[in-house]
Amino acid sequence: MLVGVPTEIKDSEYRVGLVPSAVGELTRSGHQVLVQQGAGVGAGLSDADYQCVGAEMAPSADDIYARAELIVKVKEPLAQERTKLKRGQVLFTYLHLAADAEQAADLLASGVIAIAYETVTSAAGICLC
């Protein structure tokens, strides 16, 4: 699977969807990981940190959204990001849909498979987020 990690663009958000150790686990398992250049800078992670564990660096978020089968983010996609989502892509991030009807409608219209961190539970029903 081709996993994409775009830079977070929400104001004052400096985290990144995947840290290098997670990217390394994915690449060792045979997945390709595409990380936007500079995506980890706000979290103190360099492009070289990602490259040394097998990530390919992409020059822009457009490249990530155009190529990736799975998009991994931290925060809900802003309106400008939602327009880039494609039918059948998987989005894995915090969504908080109950508070954002416009986002929910945009995600439904896009045809993306959206998985909210806050809804992922163990078999026993314990939140894993």
Side-chain angles (χ1 to χ4, degrees), residues 68-84:
E69 298 166 87
L70 167 64
I71 306 287
V72 181
K73 292 179 43 60
V74 175
K75 296 300 288 178
E76 68 280 357
L78 300 181
Q80 67 196 65
E81 294 171 302
R82 295 193 301 264
T83 63
K84 299 174 185 179

Side-chain angles (χ1 to χ4, degrees), residues 78-125:
L78 300 181
Q80 67 196 65
E81 294 171 302
R82 295 193 301 264
T83 63
K84 299 174 185 179
L85 294 168
K86 301 182 298 189
R87 181 166 303 284
Q89 263 180 335
V90 179
L91 173 66
F92 191 41
T93 189
Y94 281 110
L95 290 172
H96 311 295
L97 293 175
D100 192 345
E102 181 180 347
Q103 178 189 190
D106 287 349
L107 292 173
L108 283 169
S110 75
V112 72
I113 300 162
I115 303 169
Y117 292 148
E118 66 269 22
T119 64
V120 177
T121 61
S122 71

Side-chain angles (χ1 to χ4, degrees), residues 15-28:
R15 295 172 293 177
V16 61
L18 292 173
V19 295
S21 60
V23 170
E25 289 293 325
L26 288 168
T27 58
R28 283 189 295 278

